[in-house]
Amino acid sequence: MEDTIAALSTPAGISAIGIIRLSGKNAVSIGEKVFRGKGSISKMKSHSIALGSIIDPVDKREIDQVLLSLFRSPHSYTGEDVLEVSCHGNPLILKEILNLLLSHGARLAQPGEFTQRAYLNGKMDLTQAEAVNDLIRAHTLYARLSALNQIKGDLKGFLEKILEQVLNLLAQLEAAIDHSDLNEKFLSSEDLKKALEDILVHIDKMLQSAASGKMAREGVRIAIIGAPNVGKSSLMNALLKKDRVIVSEFAGTTRDIVEDEMNVLGIPVRLIDTAGIRDTRDEIEKKGIEKTKEIIDLADLRIFVLDASRELNPEDKELFKLLEGKKSILLLNKTDLQIKTDSDMALKEFGSYAIPISVVSQRGLEEIESAIENFYFSFGFEPGKDVLITNVRQESLLQKAGSALNKALEAVKAGLSEEFIASDVRKALAALEEITGKKFDEMVLDKIFAQFCVGK
């Protein structure tokens, strides 16, 4: 981290104000070359702001009047000296100032490099760094709350407590191994079992939060399923409040997967319209139907739409078989027409209450949103209140730690020596340290921070 890096920290385009960030050991000296104010930057106190101008030192031309903020190491976002130049948000001005900084010794920052430096300089752990990107990309209340709590260190604190328990246990095991020649027990089998079981309880509880955490971060994947012409595409348009999908009275119009995002009572949702399932000779429609069957398995929740204006048919019943054992919401659409299938008939046939709706008259849409909300909170976790695992990396490493500790527990029950038990406990410790980033792989780090925008 010898280089001093610079990047635009505000979105590209015209705005009232744009910010350029500079971080590194030469940030102040580079700033001195181009900034002219009442005093020099080197004499400014940390966390102070100065009014001045950015001047091209070659031709003495003023580029813009700016506010310059100084954050001295180690009390900055990155842990290094940081300068932030707030100028008018004209893309031409921003580009000229950035190029000026680059020409005087700075290097253009890579995606996420400021946050990567913050992590490497001990300003945050890896879970907090990941949450920075999540917060930037959060589109809903619960996505924001989940990311904000992780930035504040909720997950970090929880993991540090587990790490402390594992370290204490490992220390006692290694003491027993080192002094195996003494006729003294450092830990009884019962004490070992209890210690391992206590840690596993905490890990299991955290793993149970993974579904809620990932849905808060990535959105609840909801597939709209049904026979052709039951109103799936119309329902998607109604829920999104825009014409996202082509709607037609002819069956088989939707031949591919159509996906869009929406906000349901603060919950991020990824709504997926699918091809209607039926027997067809159309090869393109067949491919769409195959994709629909894949989505049924991959979705977190399925909305199964029936047509209330006609009687239930074999296609409806066959489709329901694909949904058995999967979380689903049953809808009866077209209740504005003459009813031939009502909620009682649907309950008798499918064993599930069907929400009566009419996309045409907008009836029942609020009930659908309430059903989605009930599904989300059925896991027993709430962003903003509970500590959540929010991505696959964290979940897989926690599973790895739990698996190692379960093997250690089995070794205790089998009466194996401390060496075997300690080996599995070390594996659990390594996995937990990888979650927080106490131990890390360079390739994993690069992959994580490559997902960030430049300037963060």
Side-chain angles (χ1 to χ4, degrees):
M1 295 187 294
E2 293 295 314
D3 293 344
T4 296
I5 56 175
L8 179 64
S9 288
T10 44
I14 296 173
S15 60
I17 294 174
I19 297 175
I20 296 168
R21 177 182 283 173
L22 190 69
S23 178
K25 66 177 185 178
N26 296 321
V28 171
S29 62
I30 293 172
E32 290 274 22
K33 294 175 183 177
V34 301
F35 178 76
R36 300 291 180 269
K38 286 187 177 180
S40 67
I41 300 173
S42 58
K43 293 180 180 179
M44 288 174 61
K45 293 181 179 179
S46 182
H47 293 72
S48 62
I49 301 175
L51 174 66
S53 295
I54 297 294
I55 305 290
D56 187 331
V58 175
D59 57 15
K60 311 302 180 185
R61 178 173 51 87
E62 182 179 18
I63 296 173
D64 194 19
Q65 189 177 62
V66 304
L67 288 174
L68 184 139
S69 304
L70 171 64
F71 307 91
R72 292 192 182 276
S73 171
H75 306 295
S76 69
Y77 180 76
T78 62
E80 305 170 330
D81 285 345
V82 172
L83 291 181
E84 290 186 354
V85 179
S86 300
C87 62
H88 294 94
N90 181 321
L92 295 175
I93 293 172
L94 288 161
K95 183 178 180 180
E96 195 166 358
I97 293 175
L98 179 58
N99 286 338
L100 193 63
L101 295 173
L102 297 178
S103 69
H104 283 83
R107 169 177 64 76
L108 188 64
Q110 298 296 316
E113 192 169 359
F114 291 96
T115 303
Q116 186 171 7
R117 290 188 176 202
Y119 158 68
L120 292 172
N121 288 324
K123 303 299 290 186
M124 60 180 71
D125 82 340
L126 202 50
T127 65
Q128 291 171 299
E130 288 174 309
V132 169
N133 197 32
D134 293 344
L135 184 61
I136 291 169
R137 299 175 187 279
H139 294 155
T140 66
L141 171 64
Y142 290 118
R144 177 176 62 81
L145 289 176
S146 176
L148 190 59
N149 275 14
Q150 198 157 309
I151 288 175
K152 286 160 56 181
D154 286 7
L155 180 56
K156 175 186 176 183
F158 182 87
L159 290 170
E160 283 178 345
K161 289 178 183 177
I162 295 178
L163 274 166
E164 185 178 359
Q165 288 178 287
V166 173
L167 279 168
N168 288 338
L169 178 58
L170 187 58
Q172 294 180 72
L173 285 166
E174 290 180 340
I177 294 167
D178 291 342
H179 301 287
S180 57
D181 55 324
L182 300 178
N183 292 321
E184 184 179 343
K185 276 282 184 183
F186 286 81
L187 275 174
S188 68
S189 294
E190 286 304 312
D191 287 339
L192 273 172
K193 281 169 59 179
K194 186 178 185 310
L196 288 165
E197 286 169 351
D198 285 347
I199 298 169
L200 281 166
V201 165
H202 294 304
I203 287 178
D204 288 343
K205 183 179 180 182
M206 184 54 62
L207 283 170
Q208 289 170 21
S209 77
S212 295
K214 283 188 289 184
M215 285 189 289
R217 179 178 182 263
E218 300 170 7
V220 185
R221 286 175 60 87
I222 301 179
I224 303 176
I225 310 296
N229 256 5
V230 296
K232 299 185 299 300
S233 298
S234 297
L235 174 62
M236 183 170 185
N237 289 340
L239 290 171
L240 292 172
K241 297 180 175 61
K242 63 181 180 180
D243 290 334
R244 176 66 176 82
V245 191
I246 295 172
V247 176
S248 170
E249 62 184 19
F250 299 106
T253 304
T254 303
R255 298 184 173 202
D256 202 352
I257 304 303
V258 181
E259 187 170 342
D260 209 335
E261 295 181 356
M262 62 181 291
N263 180 342
V264 176
L265 305 174
I267 301 165
V269 168
R270 295 168 64 186
L271 202 61
I272 307 163
D273 185 26
T274 65
I277 295 181
R278 64 171 180 170
D279 288 328
T280 179
R281 295 181 180 179
D282 188 306
E283 289 301 319
I284 296 177
E285 191 177 352
K286 280 182 179 180
K287 289 182 179 180
I289 291 169
E290 287 305 312
K291 284 188 177 182
T292 296
K293 291 177 179 178
E294 291 174 13
I295 290 295
I296 288 174
D297 291 329
L298 293 173
D300 300 307
L301 180 65
R302 300 126 199 105
I303 293 178
F304 181 28
V305 186
L306 298 170
D307 184 347
S309 69
R310 63 167 172 76
E311 296 178 354
L312 295 173
N313 62 30
E315 284 180 345
D316 296 322
K317 296 173 185 179
E318 283 299 315
L319 188 50
F320 183 73
K321 289 180 181 179
L322 296 176
L323 302 177
E324 285 183 328
K326 299 177 175 67
K327 296 282 187 179
S328 305
I329 299 170
L330 187 60
L331 302 183
L332 270 176
N333 189 27
K334 304 186 184 182
T335 54
D336 53 304
L337 303 176
Q338 183 179 355
I339 302 296
K340 293 186 179 178
T341 298
D342 59 21
S343 294
D344 289 339
M345 294 175 188
L347 179 62
K348 182 179 179 181
E349 182 64 41
F350 301 121
S352 175
Y353 171 73
I355 301 172
I357 70 163
S358 169
V359 173
V360 171
S361 62
Q362 302 285 292
R363 176 193 170 197
L365 299 184
E366 290 183 0
E367 290 182 66
I368 298 172
E369 292 186 345
S370 294
I372 293 170
E373 183 183 39
N374 290 338
F375 163 76
Y376 181 77
F377 289 110
S378 68
F379 293 87
F381 296 92
E382 181 176 339
K385 293 184 179 179
D386 299 306
V387 182
L388 304 176
I389 289 292
T390 57
N391 62 49
V392 173
R393 186 192 75 86
Q394 295 168 1
E395 183 183 13
S396 62
L397 287 169
L398 204 56
Q399 287 172 338
K400 188 176 179 180
S403 176
L405 291 172
N406 272 310
K407 286 182 180 179
L409 184 59
E410 291 303 314
V412 173
K413 292 176 181 178
L416 299 180
S417 66
E418 283 88 352
E419 287 91 341
F420 290 97
I421 302 164
S423 175
D424 288 319
V425 174
R426 287 190 199 98
K427 291 176 184 176
L429 179 65
L432 291 168
E433 288 182 334
E434 196 173 336
I435 298 174
T436 61
K438 288 187 177 181
K439 291 183 179 178
F440 62 85
D441 182 298
E442 290 285 354
M443 289 181 65
V444 173
L445 276 190
D446 290 343
K447 186 176 180 181
I448 289 171
F449 290 105
Q451 299 172 39
F452 281 59
C453 54
V454 175
K456 192 56 184 174

